[in-house]
Amino acid sequence: MASRPGFAYDFPWAKMGKMKYAIYLPMVYRGLVSPENDDNDRWHFHMSMIVLARYVMAQFFISLSRIHAITEKTRIQRKGIEFKQVDREDHWDDYILLQYIVMSMVHFCPGLGFKNFPLFEKKGMWQLLLLHVGPTEYLYYWLHRLLHHHTLYSAYHSHHHASFVTEPITGSVHPFMEHIMYTANFAIPLLGTWMCNGASMAMFYVYLMGFDLLNAIGHCNFEFVPKFFAKFPGVKYLLYTPSYHSLHHSRVHTNFCLFMPIYDYAYGTMDKTSEDLYDKAIEGKASPKTTPDVVFMAHGTELLSMFHLPFAFRSFSSRPFTTDSWLLKMLWPLTLPAVVALRFLPGVKAFVSDKHRLKNMNIETWVTPAWGFQFFIRSEFKHINAKIERAILDADERGVKVLGLGALNKNEALNGGGAFFVQKHEKNLKNTKVVHGNTLTAAAIIDKIPENVKEIFLTGATSKLGRAIALYMATKKNCRVLMCTTSEERFETIKMECPEKFRHLLFRVNNAEEKVEITEENTT
């Protein structure tokens, strides 16, 4: 939100929630359900296709920008996306609704004649380009600079600049009043082309999709414009790059252009470090790839959980515990090809889902490419263990200090709680300690036990946690351990794991009362 929200800050449908999408219903009905009721130029059908294409393009760039294997090589800003930004940008698509409404109002305005467009008009494409390069780019530049005046900035534009690290959709996140200004400016090429008798339905596709494409490119937080293209004579004046616009968000008072830096060069607002940042970003030096200190190995749960991944659908990934969405359930058919692909395509390995930073510690979440049901199919054990093993070896090669096996990745039946990997690669793992939640909990408990204690009473003694504590206290602390369990068989199994010279320190007791008798006996 802006620091001091101004007049017409919120969209008219801000309080409608998901019901705002009902605005599209007449368009969908007349364009797709009942095409015989559409206009001669099939306005509703084409608007439906354009709206759908704009959402698809946005989703493509969201997914692309969140796949770490793609972005980490040429990342611009090292800082991650905060939850506040995710929530603030949740209504990124309001501009699509607004522009659909405005265009339709003009289309249906009596006596205006903004209708009955042919499918394509060649001369209109050139008119469209010239009207954008001239009036629209020029007016946007000065409007943008005006929005950076402290009055308008605090009332409106600071909402957009609250996103220091941008995502592809950040470019469309503005207050209502600001979008009204932009929509009026961006209408110039469309109305101008129509007034010059060059309008066609293709005009709307080309301009709106082209606009979204360039807007998304500029707000990606990784550089991907090829060096041979960016360095081609004259290109730097005609087309910006992600790193160029990134400087506007980090430095605020430079690089004001829409898509064409020529106006920044002309009026002296081009950031002098623009080319240097581009070179660093494209060479992977702006935000060098770092080795995580800690890796947590997760895996898929139920099939629909794949859509909660950050690079899947944005709305689902921002609400990880929501599973009852009707739209989410409609995506069921997409899960089956994903299961087959991740299971049988060669070269598939654990991938990075999230990156976080806790003070000076870099933490990453890696995902084993398997779903929960696969962990209960014995024939899948070898396949899953191979994926986990490769991830452990990759982590060790990169210098990861700790790798934690989460959930079913540490299943006893699968790999003995990870012991399979430790035993197999005990001499090969030079950097990485393989742990899981139980071992970490055991370490935390042991750390709280007084240093000079001679005896402990342990409940849950034959669980994974109890076993680890009992064996450690006996072998490392020379401490008597009273293991409270009714299962003599499980107690004996743990006792046999203990080196023979420490076995006399392990005792089985049935309840807390037996502790006193044994303590007195040992004391005597």
Side-chain angles (χ1 to χ4, degrees):
M1 179 172 284
S3 52
R4 289 184 296 175
F7 172 73
Y9 182 84
D10 292 321
F11 280 78
W13 49 80
K15 296 182 180 180
M16 291 175 61
K18 300 301 181 184
M19 288 301 296
K20 69 181 183 181
Y21 297 113
I23 296 172
Y24 289 137
L25 289 179
M27 172 190 75
V28 174
Y29 177 76
R30 294 184 64 179
L32 302 177
V33 179
S34 182
E36 65 273 12
N37 293 317
D38 206 346
D39 292 2
N40 292 333
D41 56 12
R42 300 207 64 190
W43 175 263
H44 292 93
F45 171 78
H46 289 298
M47 286 298 106
S48 298
M49 294 298 100
I50 289 172
V51 166
L52 177 62
R54 298 182 91 173
Y55 278 103
V56 171
M57 179 178 289
Q59 181 58 54
F60 171 78
F61 274 98
I62 289 170
S63 297
L64 184 71
S65 67
R66 291 185 174 188
I67 298 176
H68 293 284
I70 295 175
T71 65
E72 64 183 359
K73 297 176 183 177
T74 58
R75 191 172 178 86
I76 301 167
Q77 296 287 350
R78 186 181 179 188
K79 187 179 179 182
I81 305 295
E82 296 182 352
F83 293 117
K84 288 182 179 180
Q85 178 176 337
V86 173
D87 293 338
R88 185 177 60 255
E89 297 180 350
D90 203 34
H91 305 289
W92 63 272
D93 60 342
D94 280 337
Y95 82 104
I96 300 178
L97 272 165
L98 174 64
Q99 292 178 6
Y100 158 67
I101 292 171
V102 171
M103 288 188 297
S104 294
M105 287 176 64
V106 177
H107 178 76
F108 292 110
C109 183
L112 187 61
F114 191 72
K115 58 178 64 177
N116 298 324
F117 301 113
L119 191 60
F120 181 77
E121 181 63 62
K122 184 177 179 181
K123 67 177 181 180
M125 297 297 105
W126 290 107
Q127 293 167 351
L128 193 69
L129 177 62
L130 292 173
L131 287 166
H132 175 84
V133 170
T136 293
E137 284 278 352
Y138 179 78
L139 289 174
Y140 177 88
Y141 174 82
W142 287 108
L143 172 60
H144 195 178
R145 290 193 65 173
L146 182 64
L147 285 166
H148 276 258
H149 183 276
H150 66 273
T151 301
L152 291 177
Y153 187 83
S154 61
Y156 301 108
H157 201 55
S158 57
H159 179 98
H160 178 68
H161 275 274
S163 300
F164 178 82
V165 180
T166 59
E167 287 201 289
I169 57 170
T170 302
S172 61
V173 179
H174 301 278
F176 177 62
M177 178 57 75
E178 196 169 335
H179 265 300
I180 290 293
M181 300 177 197
Y182 292 150
T183 300
N185 184 27
F186 303 152
I188 292 174
L190 298 173
L191 291 173
T193 301
W194 168 66
M195 294 173 69
C196 294
N197 298 316
S200 65
M201 290 309 305
M203 169 184 77
F204 295 97
Y205 283 93
V206 171
Y207 191 68
L208 297 177
M209 296 304 299
F211 188 96
D212 285 0
L213 173 65
L214 292 173
N215 202 19
I217 287 174
H219 289 86
C220 287
N221 188 34
F222 69 103
E223 188 58 77
F224 58 90
V225 177
K227 204 165 189 176
F228 73 87
F229 180 77
K231 298 295 184 180
F232 196 82
V235 168
K236 70 177 182 178
Y237 301 110
L238 301 178
L239 186 67
Y240 73 168
T241 64
S243 56
Y244 184 91
H245 189 69
S246 174
L247 283 168
H248 178 68
H249 279 261
S250 59
R251 306 243 172 129
V252 182
H253 298 297
T254 58
N255 296 5
F256 288 96
C257 76
L258 179 55
F259 305 135
M260 300 175 62
I262 188 170
Y263 294 105
D264 281 314
Y265 281 93
Y267 296 107
T269 53
M270 190 275 294
D271 195 294
K272 295 180 180 179
T273 65
S274 296
E275 292 188 36
D276 183 53
L277 179 60
Y278 170 80
D279 290 334
K280 288 181 178 178
I282 202 67
E283 294 170 6
K285 298 176 182 178
S287 178
K289 182 178 177 181
T290 57
T291 297
D293 299 294
V294 178
V295 166
F296 176 75
M297 285 287 295
H299 62 77
T301 52
E302 47 97 21
L303 294 180
L304 289 174
S305 65
M306 64 178 284
F307 297 111
H308 288 295
L309 288 166
F311 53 79
F313 286 89
R314 182 188 181 279
S315 59
F316 298 142
S317 63
S318 64
R319 298 172 179 83
F321 302 109
T322 301
T323 58
D324 58 350
S325 167
W326 63 270
L327 180 57
L328 185 61
K329 292 176 180 177
M330 286 181 63
L331 297 174
W332 261 103
L334 298 179
T335 64
L336 302 180
V339 171
V340 174
L342 292 181
R343 175 60 181 85
F344 296 105
L345 285 180
V348 175
K349 61 179 182 178
F351 56 87
V352 179
S353 170
D354 294 287
K355 290 187 177 185
H356 304 282
R357 188 169 177 83
L358 182 62
K359 293 185 178 180
N360 295 323
M361 185 180 296
N362 295 313
I363 303 171
E364 293 184 4
T365 300
W366 294 4
V367 179
T368 304
W371 278 265
F373 75 91
Q374 292 174 271
F375 288 83
F376 297 97
I377 303 175
R378 187 165 291 276
S379 60
E380 290 290 286
F381 284 6
K382 183 178 179 181
H383 170 77
I384 294 173
N385 276 334
K387 302 296 183 185
I388 299 173
E389 183 176 4
R390 181 176 177 183
I392 292 172
L393 296 176
D394 286 347
D396 187 66
E397 184 178 346
R398 290 182 58 184
V400 175
K401 297 174 184 176
V402 177
L403 184 143
L405 299 176
L408 295 174
N409 283 320
K410 64 177 187 299
N411 187 9
E412 281 290 329
L414 180 68
N415 50 46
F420 167 77
F421 308 114
V422 175
Q423 293 167 4
K424 182 177 179 180
H425 298 286
E426 187 174 5
K427 296 180 180 179
N428 299 328
L429 295 178
K430 296 179 172 56
N431 302 302
T432 304
K433 300 292 184 183
V434 180
V435 301
H436 55 68
N438 295 329
T439 57
L440 293 174
T441 305
I445 293 173
I446 290 169
D447 187 62
K448 294 296 183 181
I449 298 174
E451 187 66 29
N452 299 320
V453 71
K454 297 298 181 183
E455 179 181 283
I456 64 170
F457 177 78
L458 190 62
T459 59
T462 57
S463 65
K464 292 179 182 179
L465 186 59
R467 168 188 164 276
I469 295 172
L471 293 176
Y472 184 89
M473 293 302 295
T475 59
K476 303 296 184 181
K477 299 292 186 179
N478 201 32
C479 174
R480 290 189 298 273
V481 182
L482 310 183
M483 301 175 64
C484 183
T485 177
T486 57
S487 175
E488 186 169 353
E489 180 183 356
R490 295 180 69 175
F491 168 75
E492 289 297 331
T493 300
I494 294 174
K495 189 172 182 178
M496 293 306 295
E497 287 185 56
C498 187
E500 187 174 356
K501 64 178 181 178
F502 297 109
R503 290 176 188 170
H504 69 283
L505 295 172
L506 301 180
F507 298 89
R508 186 180 75 84
V509 295
N510 291 308
N511 49 58
E513 284 72 22
E514 290 189 41
K515 175 188 174 183
V516 178
E517 297 174 12
I518 294 175
T519 301
E520 290 176 350
E521 178 184 338
N522 289 331
T523 302
T524 303

